[in-house]
């Protein structure tokens, strides 16, 4: 049974995909390899690399002499792995991946899917004692959560390097679902999030409007790194505003 699917460039049909099972290897490069992936570009080495399927993830070998490869997570708001020249069997944990090959001024890409990701249930298994406290306790029905989602929106929508919105832009973005929103309310919620997520400075050490850009960057970085907000959470920006203030 296959565990990894390689999608060649411009492949629009399932029968053009390449499937490999655990332990199998797939070479890619400019030269035609039996059963491998051919990338016909003069800037691609004849044997550029190799993909090895390994159960729920895959390994990438960079067989070029001088060029770093990048593996992007298209769903990860900028998350990526760099594989240096000569590095063999670098593990790639993403379920959906895009391999980027620099080639004589061009950036060539192909996709790799690892659809057999496994997850352990979070349910308790009858162990005695108190349950583990959550690392980040966020309530998706509160307005502070809507502020956090609005902060992360552009990056959740696939622009990992987009500048963060100014407070005035956040006010306008939140107004349809929060008619009474104001600049001071947004500042308050940003300060509250910084304190709640154990970032500093908190509301007791920073004046409203001061150093808020650094706080916003820290909040967005933390939220995206640990999946505190996801693309599905963008629905809160279109949902009816909660009656709760915080």
């Amino acid at each position: 049974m296959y565990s990894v699917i390689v999608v060649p460039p411009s492949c629009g049909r399932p029968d053009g995909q390449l499937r490999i099972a655990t332990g199998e290897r797939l070479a890619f490069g400019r030269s035609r390899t039996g059963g491998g992936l051919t990338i016909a570009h003069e800037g691609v080495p004849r044997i550029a690399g190799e993909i090895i399927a390994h159960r729920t993830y895959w390994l990438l070998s960079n067989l070029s002499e001088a060029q770093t490869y990048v593996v992007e997570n298209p769903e990860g708001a900028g998350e990526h792995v760099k594989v240096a020249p000569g590095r063999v069997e670098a593990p790639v944990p993403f379920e959906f991946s895009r391999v980027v090959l620099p080639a004589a001024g061009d950036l060539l890409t192909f996709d790799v899917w690892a659809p057999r990701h496994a997850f352990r249930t979070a349910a308790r298994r009858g162990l005695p004692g108190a349950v583990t406290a959550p690392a980040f306790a966020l309530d998706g029905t509160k307005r502070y959560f809507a502020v956090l989602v609005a902060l992360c929106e552009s990056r959740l929508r696939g622009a990992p390097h987009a500048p963060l919105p100014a407070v005035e832009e956040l006010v306008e973005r939140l107004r349809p679902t929060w008619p009474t929103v104001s600049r001071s309310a947004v500042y308050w919620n940003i300060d509250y999030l910084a304190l709640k997520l154990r970032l500093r400075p908190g509301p007791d050490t920073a004046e409203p409007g001061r150093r808020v850009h650094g706080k916003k960057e820290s909040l967005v970085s933390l939220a995206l790194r640990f999946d505190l907000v996801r693309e599905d959470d963008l629905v809160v920006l279109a949902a009816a505003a909660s009656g709760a203030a915080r």
Side-chain angles (χ1 to χ4, degrees), residues 23-90:
E24 293 182 344
R25 298 169 178 260
L26 179 76
F28 62 90
R30 190 173 76 247
S31 296
R32 293 189 174 276
T33 55
L37 172 61
T38 302
I39 304 175
H41 191 290
E42 62 181 5
V44 176
R46 286 174 294 176
I47 302 178
E50 189 176 55
I51 291 169
I52 306 100
H54 186 79
R55 300 179 64 184
T56 59
Y57 64 98
W58 55 284
L59 309 170
L60 175 64
S61 294
N62 180 351
L63 303 181
S64 72
E65 296 182 358
Q67 188 58 62
T68 295
Y69 298 160
V70 173
V71 184
E72 300 175 340
N73 177 3
E75 298 188 328
E79 187 178 19
H80 66 278
V81 172
K82 295 193 293 186
V83 183
R87 172 73 191 274
V88 296
E89 299 188 1

Side-chain angles (χ1 to χ4, degrees), residues 70-82 92-98 100 155 158-161 224-227 230:
V70 173
V71 184
E72 300 175 340
N73 177 3
E75 298 188 328
E79 187 178 19
H80 66 278
V81 172
K82 295 193 293 186
V92 179
F94 310 140
E95 184 170 354
F96 302 100
S97 304
R98 179 160 296 132
V100 183
R155 300 187 185 185
H161 305 297
L224 296 178
R225 178 171 295 184
F226 291 100
D227 287 337
R230 302 170 183 266

Side-chain angles (χ1 to χ4, degrees), residues 75-144:
E75 298 188 328
E79 187 178 19
H80 66 278
V81 172
K82 295 193 293 186
V83 183
R87 172 73 191 274
V88 296
E89 299 188 1
V92 179
F94 310 140
E95 184 170 354
F96 302 100
S97 304
R98 179 160 296 132
V99 181
V100 183
L101 309 177
D106 295 324
L107 293 178
L108 308 179
T109 66
F110 63 88
D111 294 341
V112 180
W113 302 341
R116 301 192 179 278
H117 267 45
F119 297 91
R120 182 183 179 189
T121 177
R124 294 185 62 193
R125 300 189 177 274
L127 298 176
V131 298
T132 302
F136 304 104
L138 296 176
D139 187 338
T141 68
K142 305 301 183 183
R143 282 178 175 165
Y144 68 72

